[in-house]
Amino acid sequence: MVTAFQGPTIVLTGPTASGKTDVADAIAQRFPVEIVSVDSALVYRGMDIGTAKPDAAMRTRWPHHLIDIVDPVDAWSAARFVTAASATIAAIRTRGRIPLLVGGTMLYLKALREGLSTLPPADPDVRAAIDADAARAGWPALHARLARVDAPTAARLAPGDAQRIQRALEVFELTGQPMSTLLAIAPPEASRDSGLGRHRVVALEPSDRAVLHARIATRFDTMLDTGLLDEVLTLRTRWPALTAAHPSMRAVGYRQAWAAVDGDHDRATLRASGIAATRQLAKRQLTWLRSMPVDMRLDCLRPDLTDAAIDAVAAGLARAG
């Protein structure tokens, strides 16, 4: 009879290009884990190159969850993630194995740890009006509008971050309150039992941002060389209803590639804008991490990173035992 795992869930997080996938692979070689993705783009089928999705060999070696579970035209949200992740973590524990959460979507991790804030659901009419304003004036102008009504949220968003600007303006339109104010309110008690339970967080953070930026550029070049544009063309053919407005296509890299496929960008512009957007993503992720309770912070540039991460996991499991 299998004994349910009673120790802590392990969370491995960090900015994009910090090496989370390779470290997770090393941890899985040492401990009986099942990997749960904490990534808002890996959930989508067909989006492999631009998400740096773990390759088939790694996914064959170790069980992976919450990858390739919805189509790019489908809706996915923090609420759906919390429901799916909670059930997955419970099932892994029942099998006597260790849940290893890996990813850099910090909003998902926050929701899983702290519960969901009370925000209004999406309103198609409000979103359509915001999109129409953006089509006329551009997203930087709407970013400026957001700054007037919700300065804290605007400060952490890039002027071209259409998806998040739209959501923040939508929340303000629907509630009359800034989203930053609503997010600061403690979640309802009933939403806090997310299923994460006891956990230890290991964060990979760079000691030198310039080196991380160089990694980001190299990785984006690899995505272009291995067929990111062809992948976007395939997605558009496979799902004819897919548009640039879908959340999946607003993901970093895909948004820029979509514009290139439409002829709005040449390759040089695509490369520059994709790298810049990815750097902005990494900056946001690191901002989240600075305010997040973390058990162990590791320099993702250290040469012995995998050994250090394994030691951190072993120490966390030993203390919990």
Side-chain angles (χ1 to χ4, degrees):
M1 180 178 178
V2 175
T3 302
F5 175 65
Q6 300 298 323
T9 293
I10 303 299
V11 179
L12 178 66
T13 190
T16 185
S18 59
K20 296 184 294 295
T21 299
D22 289 343
V23 171
D25 192 25
I27 291 172
Q29 293 177 46
R30 174 65 174 78
F31 302 97
V33 304
E34 294 189 26
I35 296 171
V36 182
S37 171
V38 187
D39 190 292
S40 60
L42 294 189
V43 296
Y44 294 112
R45 301 182 184 98
M47 293 173 55
D48 302 328
I49 296 172
T51 62
K53 194 172 287 180
D55 61 28
M58 180 174 174
R59 291 166 66 184
T60 299
R61 286 196 300 274
W62 324 118
H64 282 67
H65 304 275
L66 305 191
I67 295 177
D68 289 346
I69 57 175
V70 294
D71 291 340
V73 292
D74 294 334
W76 187 253
S77 65
R80 289 190 67 184
F81 167 77
V82 168
T83 298
S86 299
T88 301
I89 291 167
I92 293 170
R93 288 179 168 278
T94 299
R95 291 191 285 271
R97 299 178 68 82
I98 304 169
L100 173 61
L101 275 62
V102 181
T105 301
M106 303 302 173
L107 176 62
Y108 285 11
L109 182 54
K110 178 181 173 65
L112 189 59
R113 297 180 80 180
E114 302 176 11
L116 291 162
S117 300
T118 304
L119 294 178
D123 184 299
D125 292 335
V126 172
R127 290 195 168 190
I130 293 170
D131 283 341
D133 288 347
R136 288 191 297 270
W139 285 107
L142 269 69
H143 182 266
R145 180 196 299 179
L146 177 63
R148 293 192 290 271
V149 299
D150 187 355
T153 298
R156 64 179 178 83
L157 299 181
D161 193 344
Q163 180 179 356
R164 292 176 178 83
I165 294 170
Q166 179 197 62
R167 177 55 175 160
L169 287 172
E170 176 188 40
V171 168
F172 183 79
E173 290 288 335
L174 292 172
T175 67
Q177 298 185 71
M179 188 166 74
S180 57
T181 299
L182 295 176
L183 289 174
I185 299 171
E189 199 68 38
S191 76
R192 297 183 193 172
D193 184 16
S194 66
L196 182 56
R198 288 192 302 146
H199 60 280
R200 295 191 63 80
V201 179
V202 178
L204 309 184
E205 302 178 8
S207 55
D208 186 339
R209 292 275 187 101
V211 177
L212 183 69
H213 292 167
R215 283 189 180 183
I216 286 170
T218 298
R219 191 168 76 162
F220 197 77
D221 285 338
T222 299
M223 290 176 180
L224 291 176
D225 292 342
T226 54
L228 177 59
L229 288 174
D230 288 339
E231 182 171 83
V232 171
L233 283 169
T234 299
L235 291 169
R236 290 168 66 147
T237 300
R238 185 175 176 186
W239 288 281
L242 187 65
T243 70
H246 280 91
S248 60
M249 291 298 102
R250 291 180 176 178
V252 167
Y254 287 93
R255 182 168 66 248
Q256 293 76 23
W258 187 285
V261 169
D262 280 347
D264 298 333
H265 290 342
D266 58 19
R267 185 182 174 93
T269 303
L270 165 59
R271 180 182 184 274
S273 60
I275 290 172
T278 310
R279 288 174 60 170
Q280 285 291 329
L281 171 61
K283 181 179 179 181
R284 291 195 300 272
Q285 291 168 317
L286 288 167
T287 299
W288 275 94
L289 278 175
R290 280 199 297 270
S291 62
M292 183 182 293
V294 170
D295 298 287
M296 178 69 71
R297 298 181 190 271
L298 299 175
D299 179 7
C300 67
L301 306 180
R302 59 189 290 176
D304 62 341
L305 175 60
T306 55
D307 290 338
I310 288 171
D311 288 345
V313 171
L317 295 173
R319 279 195 291 270

